[in-house]
Amino acid sequence: NAGVMQNPRHLVRRRGQEARLRCSPMKGHSHVYWYRQLPEEGLKFMVYLQKENIIDESGMPKERFSAEFPKEGPSILRIQQVVRGDSAAYFCASSPPWRTEAFFGQGTRLTVV
Amino acid sequence: SQQGEEDPQALSIQEGENATMNCSYKTSINNLQWYRQNSGRGLVHLILIRSNEREKHSGRLRVTLDTSKKSSSLLITASRAADTASYFCATAKTSGSRLTFGEGTQLTVNP
């Protein structure tokens, strides 16, 4: 059973471009969470999704950020018109409905130049 | 308000010594979890303790939870150089809800 897969591992975007981060949860996991980590800091919650539903998006910036977890395919975190402040590591985690602990991917490191 | 604040921010010990990290939180919780993060990598789940539990063991790890003080501690016994990593506590208000992480403790175990 492969772990949580995130791609790409590293992403460089120029200011104003769009960034798309993908997350394939572990098999059988229907809950997906996205977190952002700035250097030397802890993880900050962004959004919690189940298949085709956003359950909690209280950590998502109101503009430019969106997330989806379609019926088929990976979860996508989309950042439009990126700015330097979006540079961070973005982690995806998944869990099955009956487990509380989360399983994390290796993260996508976004650099905005 | 910041939930899950770790103390100390950084800890440096010699191999074989014990390492203790503390975590405080502000709101009621369903469970508290500890994660490890090696430099540049994702987080690895270490141990979960529920709000009705006071102590839990897993190998060289011992976790305590004091809900009256809203605090938890993680003890790593007989530390090894491979334990060098950042350690984060995370709280969940309900089972399956989002996790709120602290800022972490950077542990360095010197060989």
Side-chain angles (χ1 to χ4, degrees):
Chain A
N1 189 5
V4 177
M5 304 301 292
Q6 289 189 250
N7 67 81
R9 289 292 308 277
H10 300 273
L11 182 62
V12 179
R13 283 287 177 265
R14 296 185 185 281
R15 280 178 294 171
Q17 291 185 319
E18 178 180 289
R20 279 187 180 236
L21 288 62
R22 294 176 186 78
C23 169
S24 296
M26 290 179 70
K27 188 176 180 181
H29 288 196
S30 56
H31 297 197
V32 166
Y33 309 80
W34 285 92
Y35 294 85
R36 177 165 62 179
Q37 185 179 34
L38 295 171
E40 310 299 324
E41 293 188 10
L43 277 71
K44 298 293 188 285
F45 168 78
M46 299 183 75
V47 63
Y48 164 30
L49 310 107
Q50 294 178 16
K51 285 284 186 182
E52 300 184 282
N53 283 307
I54 297 175
I55 307 302
D56 180 356
E57 57 181 346
S58 57
M60 286 279 272
K62 293 289 184 284
E63 296 177 349
R64 301 187 300 108
F65 285 72
S66 63
E68 62 176 6
F69 188 18
K71 187 176 180 181
E72 301 291 337
S75 175
I76 306 287
L77 179 67
R78 183 182 176 204
I79 311 172
Q80 294 179 292
Q81 299 175 323
V82 297
V83 301
R84 289 239 171 94
D86 297 332
S87 294
Y90 291 83
F91 289 95
C92 168
S94 72
S95 67
W98 59 89
R99 295 278 295 273
T100 291
E101 52 268 56
F103 296 82
F104 281 80
Q106 295 299 306
T108 293
R109 278 144 188 86
L110 172 66
T111 303
V112 180
V113 298
Chain B
S1 61
Q2 179 67 41
Q3 183 88 327
E5 299 181 4
E6 285 93 341
D7 158 51
Q9 286 188 319
L11 180 62
S12 182
I13 59 175
Q14 295 299 123
E15 213 166 21
E17 293 180 338
N18 296 340
T20 299
M21 289 160 269
N22 303 297
C23 167
S24 61
Y25 57 93
K26 291 184 169 60
T27 64
S28 62
I29 62 171
N30 173 273
N31 65 79
L32 185 145
Q33 304 175 38
W34 286 90
Y35 287 81
R36 182 186 73 217
Q37 183 180 37
N38 288 85
S39 181
R41 307 297 294 273
L43 277 74
V44 175
H45 181 264
L46 294 176
I47 195 165
L48 178 152
I49 186 165
R50 301 190 188 282
S51 59
N52 61 353
E53 297 176 308
R54 292 295 167 260
E55 187 171 313
K56 206 162 183 180
H57 297 253
S58 177
R60 294 185 294 115
L61 305 180
R62 174 179 167 250
V63 169
T64 62
L65 179 64
D66 186 335
T67 52
S68 66
K69 295 181 179 177
K70 291 187 167 58
S71 67
S72 172
S73 68
L74 171 67
L75 168 68
I76 304 174
T77 60
S79 64
R80 306 165 182 166
D83 294 329
T84 294
S86 292
Y87 291 81
F88 295 91
C89 71
T91 56
K93 286 190 176 182
T94 60
S95 178
S97 67
R98 63 173 176 153
L99 296 172
T100 301
F101 285 85
E103 298 301 310
T105 293
Q106 172 60 52
L107 173 66
T108 301
V109 181
N110 301 298

